[in-house]
Every structure is written in structure tokens, then in C-alpha cells.
Amino acid sequence: MVGLKHLETGYPCQTPCLIISNHQSTWESLAFLVLAPDVAIVAKKELLNIPVLGWYLRRSPMIIIDRARGAKSFSIMLEQSRQALSQGRSVLIFPEGSRKGPFEPVKFKRGAGLLYKHLGVPALPVALNSGRFWSTAASGPKTAGTIAVSYLPIIPPGLTEAEFTSMTESMLEAERSRITMAA
């Protein structure tokens, strides 16, 4: 793992925070349960239909969203994120919305910027290269190799949504590119 110095003393943040990660495979959906214990993961409703993962999501205090509900879905996500933070839990979101290939550029959907703006907590960007070894398809092939997880500098609250999105996309893209090419 790279950037452990950015984790400070309270793994992964000193206080509950918003964790922003690129999304390339099923690996990180499972790994973050160890990388950021007691995290509330923002997950799309469709994941409830996946054997084992769906069972886990139904029984854990995750933030399940129905993307078909549009703005109403954001209101629910914001309310549940605030609740998780008030309970001392960080919130993890994969802002790209769906898994992307290891060489596809990082491009956020709007939810992460809105959460950052409305929650008013620090954000911890996390870049990874899991797509080099695990397919973007949940049941796709896996190859031998070492997955890199890179913790980037914490972004304090207070930026505009546009500033946050631009900065975080750039940081994640640069680091994703670096660790993917190094693999």
C-alpha cells in the first residue's frame, strides 16, 4: 500500500470521512471491508441480487441506492451517509458508478461531489489497480499479481463541488495511471 502516511492515526481518517475510490473490480468491494473496517459502502440496489455479496449487503448497515429514483435516491443517500457519520463510520463511494477497465480514465458521476459538499467532512481519495488482475466482470478471469492500493492526501472540507470533483478526479487519475503502468 502506498500513502499510508496520509491515513493519520485513526485508520483511515482521524474522524469519520468520505472515502472516494476508483472502481475496477469486485475485489475492492470486498477488500474495503478490511482496508476501512466499519465503513458504510454506498452500493447500487442491483448488487442485492448477487449471491453472497447481496446477502452481506442486506444484513449490514450499508447505503443502498436505487439509481432509477434520481434525485430522491440522492436524498436517501445523503440522509443515510449523515447517519453513518454520526455513528462514527466513514462512508465509501465509488464515484464512477460502475466498474471501469484498468486503463479507462477516472470520470465521476455527480453523487460524490454532492456528498462532499453536503456532508462537510474530509475526503480520502484511494486509487487502486485491481482491474489489472481481476476482470471488471464479477465472474471474469483473475490473473496472478499484486494489487496496489494508494492512499492519497486527505482533502479538507470547504471546496466547491466543482473544485472537489476536478481535484479528486485528477488526483485519482494520475495515481491510477501510475500504479497501473507499474504493475
Side-chain angles (χ1 to χ4, degrees), residues 163-176:
E163 290 169 332
F164 168 78
T165 299
S166 176
M167 175 190 289
T168 310
E169 277 181 345
S170 295
M171 289 171 68
L172 283 175
E173 175 57 23
E175 187 64 7
R176 182 222 40 93

mmCIF file with all atom_site columns, all heavy atoms in Angstrom, residues 163-176:
data_model
loop_
_atom_site.group_PDB
_atom_site.id
_atom_site.type_symbol
_atom_site.label_atom_id
_atom_site.label_alt_id
_atom_site.label_comp_id
_atom_site.label_asym_id
_atom_site.label_entity_id
_atom_site.label_seq_id
_atom_site.pdbx_PDB_ins_code
_atom_site.Cartn_x
_atom_site.Cartn_y
_atom_site.Cartn_z
_atom_site.occupancy
_atom_site.B_iso_or_equiv
_atom_site.pdbx_formal_charge
_atom_site.auth_seq_id
_atom_site.auth_comp_id
_atom_site.auth_asym_id
_atom_site.auth_atom_id
_atom_site.pdbx_PDB_model_num
ATOM 1   N N   . GLU A 1 163 ? -14.759 22.228 -7.677  1.00 0.00 ? 163 GLU A N   1
ATOM 2   C CA  . GLU A 1 163 ? -13.336 22.168 -7.310  1.00 0.00 ? 163 GLU A CA  1
ATOM 3   C C   . GLU A 1 163 ? -12.975 20.788 -6.778  1.00 0.00 ? 163 GLU A C   1
ATOM 4   O O   . GLU A 1 163 ? -11.949 20.212 -7.156  1.00 0.00 ? 163 GLU A O   1
ATOM 5   C CB  . GLU A 1 163 ? -13.019 23.217 -6.237  1.00 0.00 ? 163 GLU A CB  1
ATOM 6   C CG  . GLU A 1 163 ? -13.054 24.645 -6.708  1.00 0.00 ? 163 GLU A CG  1
ATOM 7   C CD  . GLU A 1 163 ? -13.004 25.651 -5.561  1.00 0.00 ? 163 GLU A CD  1
ATOM 8   O OE1 . GLU A 1 163 ? -13.457 25.334 -4.424  1.00 0.00 ? 163 GLU A OE1 1
ATOM 9   O OE2 . GLU A 1 163 ? -12.506 26.758 -5.814  1.00 0.00 ? 163 GLU A OE2 1
ATOM 10  N N   . PHE A 1 164 ? -13.832 20.267 -5.892  1.00 0.00 ? 164 PHE A N   1
ATOM 11  C CA  . PHE A 1 164 ? -13.591 18.956 -5.320  1.00 0.00 ? 164 PHE A CA  1
ATOM 12  C C   . PHE A 1 164 ? -13.551 17.888 -6.410  1.00 0.00 ? 164 PHE A C   1
ATOM 13  O O   . PHE A 1 164 ? -12.628 17.062 -6.451  1.00 0.00 ? 164 PHE A O   1
ATOM 14  C CB  . PHE A 1 164 ? -14.668 18.603 -4.290  1.00 0.00 ? 164 PHE A CB  1
ATOM 15  C CG  . PHE A 1 164 ? -14.634 17.159 -3.882  1.00 0.00 ? 164 PHE A CG  1
ATOM 16  C CD1 . PHE A 1 164 ? -13.684 16.711 -2.988  1.00 0.00 ? 164 PHE A CD1 1
ATOM 17  C CD2 . PHE A 1 164 ? -15.524 16.246 -4.423  1.00 0.00 ? 164 PHE A CD2 1
ATOM 18  C CE1 . PHE A 1 164 ? -13.622 15.369 -2.629  1.00 0.00 ? 164 PHE A CE1 1
ATOM 19  C CE2 . PHE A 1 164 ? -15.476 14.911 -4.068  1.00 0.00 ? 164 PHE A CE2 1
ATOM 20  C CZ  . PHE A 1 164 ? -14.523 14.472 -3.169  1.00 0.00 ? 164 PHE A CZ  1
ATOM 21  N N   . THR A 1 165 ? -14.538 17.891 -7.280  1.00 0.00 ? 165 THR A N   1
ATOM 22  C CA  . THR A 1 165 ? -14.615 16.865 -8.320  1.00 0.00 ? 165 THR A CA  1
ATOM 23  C C   . THR A 1 165 ? -13.404 16.935 -9.243  1.00 0.00 ? 165 THR A C   1
ATOM 24  O O   . THR A 1 165 ? -12.770 15.917 -9.529  1.00 0.00 ? 165 THR A O   1
ATOM 25  C CB  . THR A 1 165 ? -15.932 16.997 -9.120  1.00 0.00 ? 165 THR A CB  1
ATOM 26  O OG1 . THR A 1 165 ? -17.025 16.802 -8.205  1.00 0.00 ? 165 THR A OG1 1
ATOM 27  C CG2 . THR A 1 165 ? -16.022 15.973 -10.232 1.00 0.00 ? 165 THR A CG2 1
ATOM 28  N N   . SER A 1 166 ? -13.072 18.129 -9.695  1.00 0.00 ? 166 SER A N   1
ATOM 29  C CA  . SER A 1 166 ? -11.933 18.294 -10.596 1.00 0.00 ? 166 SER A CA  1
ATOM 30  C C   . SER A 1 166 ? -10.634 17.839 -9.934  1.00 0.00 ? 166 SER A C   1
ATOM 31  O O   . SER A 1 166 ? -9.843  17.087 -10.516 1.00 0.00 ? 166 SER A O   1
ATOM 32  C CB  . SER A 1 166 ? -11.829 19.760 -11.025 1.00 0.00 ? 166 SER A CB  1
ATOM 33  O OG  . SER A 1 166 ? -10.699 19.957 -11.821 1.00 0.00 ? 166 SER A OG  1
ATOM 34  N N   . MET A 1 167 ? -10.401 18.288 -8.704  1.00 0.00 ? 167 MET A N   1
ATOM 35  C CA  . MET A 1 167 ? -9.183  17.935 -7.980  1.00 0.00 ? 167 MET A CA  1
ATOM 36  C C   . MET A 1 167 ? -9.096  16.434 -7.742  1.00 0.00 ? 167 MET A C   1
ATOM 37  O O   . MET A 1 167 ? -8.056  15.807 -7.985  1.00 0.00 ? 167 MET A O   1
ATOM 38  C CB  . MET A 1 167 ? -9.122  18.671 -6.640  1.00 0.00 ? 167 MET A CB  1
ATOM 39  C CG  . MET A 1 167 ? -7.931  18.249 -5.773  1.00 0.00 ? 167 MET A CG  1
ATOM 40  S SD  . MET A 1 167 ? -8.020  18.887 -4.095  1.00 0.00 ? 167 MET A SD  1
ATOM 41  C CE  . MET A 1 167 ? -7.698  20.596 -4.385  1.00 0.00 ? 167 MET A CE  1
ATOM 42  N N   . THR A 1 168 ? -10.177 15.839 -7.262  1.00 0.00 ? 168 THR A N   1
ATOM 43  C CA  . THR A 1 168 ? -10.159 14.429 -6.892  1.00 0.00 ? 168 THR A CA  1
ATOM 44  C C   . THR A 1 168 ? -10.052 13.540 -8.129  1.00 0.00 ? 168 THR A C   1
ATOM 45  O O   . THR A 1 168 ? -9.305  12.552 -8.120  1.00 0.00 ? 168 THR A O   1
ATOM 46  C CB  . THR A 1 168 ? -11.396 14.079 -6.046  1.00 0.00 ? 168 THR A CB  1
ATOM 47  O OG1 . THR A 1 168 ? -11.508 15.030 -4.990  1.00 0.00 ? 168 THR A OG1 1
ATOM 48  C CG2 . THR A 1 168 ? -11.273 12.690 -5.434  1.00 0.00 ? 168 THR A CG2 1
ATOM 49  N N   . GLU A 1 169 ? -10.769 13.874 -9.189  1.00 0.00 ? 169 GLU A N   1
ATOM 50  C CA  . GLU A 1 169 ? -10.629 13.121 -10.441 1.00 0.00 ? 169 GLU A CA  1
ATOM 51  C C   . GLU A 1 169 ? -9.187  13.154 -10.922 1.00 0.00 ? 169 GLU A C   1
ATOM 52  O O   . GLU A 1 169 ? -8.628  12.115 -11.301 1.00 0.00 ? 169 GLU A O   1
ATOM 53  C CB  . GLU A 1 169 ? -11.516 13.708 -11.541 1.00 0.00 ? 169 GLU A CB  1
ATOM 54  C CG  . GLU A 1 169 ? -12.942 13.267 -11.522 1.00 0.00 ? 169 GLU A CG  1
ATOM 55  C CD  . GLU A 1 169 ? -13.763 13.881 -12.654 1.00 0.00 ? 169 GLU A CD  1
ATOM 56  O OE1 . GLU A 1 169 ? -13.317 14.870 -13.297 1.00 0.00 ? 169 GLU A OE1 1
ATOM 57  O OE2 . GLU A 1 169 ? -14.853 13.367 -12.902 1.00 0.00 ? 169 GLU A OE2 1
ATOM 58  N N   . SER A 1 170 ? -8.565  14.333 -10.896 1.00 0.00 ? 170 SER A N   1
ATOM 59  C CA  . SER A 1 170 ? -7.177  14.475 -11.362 1.00 0.00 ? 170 SER A CA  1
ATOM 60  C C   . SER A 1 170 ? -6.216  13.667 -10.495 1.00 0.00 ? 170 SER A C   1
ATOM 61  O O   . SER A 1 170 ? -5.315  12.990 -11.006 1.00 0.00 ? 170 SER A O   1
ATOM 62  C CB  . SER A 1 170 ? -6.755  15.944 -11.351 1.00 0.00 ? 170 SER A CB  1
ATOM 63  O OG  . SER A 1 170 ? -7.507  16.679 -12.279 1.00 0.00 ? 170 SER A OG  1
ATOM 64  N N   . MET A 1 171 ? -6.396  13.744 -9.179  1.00 0.00 ? 171 MET A N   1
ATOM 65  C CA  . MET A 1 171 ? -5.521  13.004 -8.270  1.00 0.00 ? 171 MET A CA  1
ATOM 66  C C   . MET A 1 171 ? -5.650  11.498 -8.501  1.00 0.00 ? 171 MET A C   1
ATOM 67  O O   . MET A 1 171 ? -4.645  10.787 -8.609  1.00 0.00 ? 171 MET A O   1
ATOM 68  C CB  . MET A 1 171 ? -5.888  13.320 -6.810  1.00 0.00 ? 171 MET A CB  1
ATOM 69  C CG  . MET A 1 171 ? -5.525  14.715 -6.349  1.00 0.00 ? 171 MET A CG  1
ATOM 70  S SD  . MET A 1 171 ? -6.233  15.110 -4.712  1.00 0.00 ? 171 MET A SD  1
ATOM 71  C CE  . MET A 1 171 ? -5.322  14.008 -3.645  1.00 0.00 ? 171 MET A CE  1
ATOM 72  N N   . LEU A 1 172 ? -6.901  11.026 -8.561  1.00 0.00 ? 172 LEU A N   1
ATOM 73  C CA  . LEU A 1 172 ? -7.122  9.593  -8.748  1.00 0.00 ? 172 LEU A CA  1
ATOM 74  C C   . LEU A 1 172 ? -6.627  9.128  -10.108 1.00 0.00 ? 172 LEU A C   1
ATOM 75  O O   . LEU A 1 172 ? -6.039  8.056  -10.227 1.00 0.00 ? 172 LEU A O   1
ATOM 76  C CB  . LEU A 1 172 ? -8.603  9.250  -8.564  1.00 0.00 ? 172 LEU A CB  1
ATOM 77  C CG  . LEU A 1 172 ? -9.104  9.203  -7.132  1.00 0.00 ? 172 LEU A CG  1
ATOM 78  C CD1 . LEU A 1 172 ? -10.604 8.963  -7.092  1.00 0.00 ? 172 LEU A CD1 1
ATOM 79  C CD2 . LEU A 1 172 ? -8.375  8.136  -6.328  1.00 0.00 ? 172 LEU A CD2 1
ATOM 80  N N   . GLU A 1 173 ? -6.870  9.920  -11.141 1.00 0.00 ? 173 GLU A N   1
ATOM 81  C CA  . GLU A 1 173 ? -6.439  9.537  -12.483 1.00 0.00 ? 173 GLU A CA  1
ATOM 82  C C   . GLU A 1 173 ? -4.918  9.436  -12.563 1.00 0.00 ? 173 GLU A C   1
ATOM 83  O O   . GLU A 1 173 ? -4.383  8.477  -13.109 1.00 0.00 ? 173 GLU A O   1
ATOM 84  C CB  . GLU A 1 173 ? -6.966  10.518 -13.530 1.00 0.00 ? 173 GLU A CB  1
ATOM 85  C CG  . GLU A 1 173 ? -6.474  10.256 -14.936 1.00 0.00 ? 173 GLU A CG  1
ATOM 86  C CD  . GLU A 1 173 ? -6.773  8.857  -15.464 1.00 0.00 ? 173 GLU A CD  1
ATOM 87  O OE1 . GLU A 1 173 ? -7.705  8.189  -14.982 1.00 0.00 ? 173 GLU A OE1 1
ATOM 88  O OE2 . GLU A 1 173 ? -6.047  8.423  -16.373 1.00 0.00 ? 173 GLU A OE2 1
ATOM 89  N N   . ALA A 1 174 ? -4.210  10.417 -12.023 1.00 0.00 ? 174 ALA A N   1
ATOM 90  C CA  . ALA A 1 174 ? -2.748  10.395 -12.063 1.00 0.00 ? 174 ALA A CA  1
ATOM 91  C C   . ALA A 1 174 ? -2.198  9.176  -11.307 1.00 0.00 ? 174 ALA A C   1
ATOM 92  O O   . ALA A 1 174 ? -1.311  8.476  -11.803 1.00 0.00 ? 174 ALA A O   1
ATOM 93  C CB  . ALA A 1 174 ? -2.183  11.688 -11.472 1.00 0.00 ? 174 ALA A CB  1
ATOM 94  N N   . GLU A 1 175 ? -2.742  8.911  -10.136 1.00 0.00 ? 175 GLU A N   1
ATOM 95  C CA  . GLU A 1 175 ? -2.250  7.788  -9.334  1.00 0.00 ? 175 GLU A CA  1
ATOM 96  C C   . GLU A 1 175 ? -2.687  6.451  -9.930  1.00 0.00 ? 175 GLU A C   1
ATOM 97  O O   . GLU A 1 175 ? -1.908  5.496  -9.957  1.00 0.00 ? 175 GLU A O   1
ATOM 98  C CB  . GLU A 1 175 ? -2.716  7.922  -7.883  1.00 0.00 ? 175 GLU A CB  1
ATOM 99  C CG  . GLU A 1 175 ? -2.119  6.898  -6.953  1.00 0.00 ? 175 GLU A CG  1
ATOM 100 C CD  . GLU A 1 175 ? -0.604  6.993  -6.792  1.00 0.00 ? 175 GLU A CD  1
ATOM 101 O OE1 . GLU A 1 175 ? 0.027   7.939  -7.301  1.00 0.00 ? 175 GLU A OE1 1
ATOM 102 O OE2 . GLU A 1 175 ? -0.037  6.085  -6.142  1.00 0.00 ? 175 GLU A OE2 1
ATOM 103 N N   . ARG A 1 176 ? -3.923  6.366  -10.435 1.00 0.00 ? 176 ARG A N   1
ATOM 104 C CA  . ARG A 1 176 ? -4.391  5.141  -11.084 1.00 0.00 ? 176 ARG A CA  1
ATOM 105 C C   . ARG A 1 176 ? -3.484  4.804  -12.261 1.00 0.00 ? 176 ARG A C   1
ATOM 106 O O   . ARG A 1 176 ? -3.060  3.672  -12.448 1.00 0.00 ? 176 ARG A O   1
ATOM 107 C CB  . ARG A 1 176 ? -5.845  5.290  -11.556 1.00 0.00 ? 176 ARG A CB  1
ATOM 108 C CG  . ARG A 1 176 ? -6.381  3.995  -12.201 1.00 0.00 ? 176 ARG A CG  1
ATOM 109 C CD  . ARG A 1 176 ? -7.205  4.185  -13.448 1.00 0.00 ? 176 ARG A CD  1
ATOM 110 N NE  . ARG A 1 176 ? -6.795  5.160  -14.391 1.00 0.00 ? 176 ARG A NE  1
ATOM 111 C CZ  . ARG A 1 176 ? -6.005  4.927  -15.457 1.00 0.00 ? 176 ARG A CZ  1
ATOM 112 N NH1 . ARG A 1 176 ? -5.510  3.734  -15.670 1.00 0.00 ? 176 ARG A NH1 1
ATOM 113 N NH2 . ARG A 1 176 ? -5.694  5.899  -16.296 1.00 0.00 ? 176 ARG A NH2 1
#
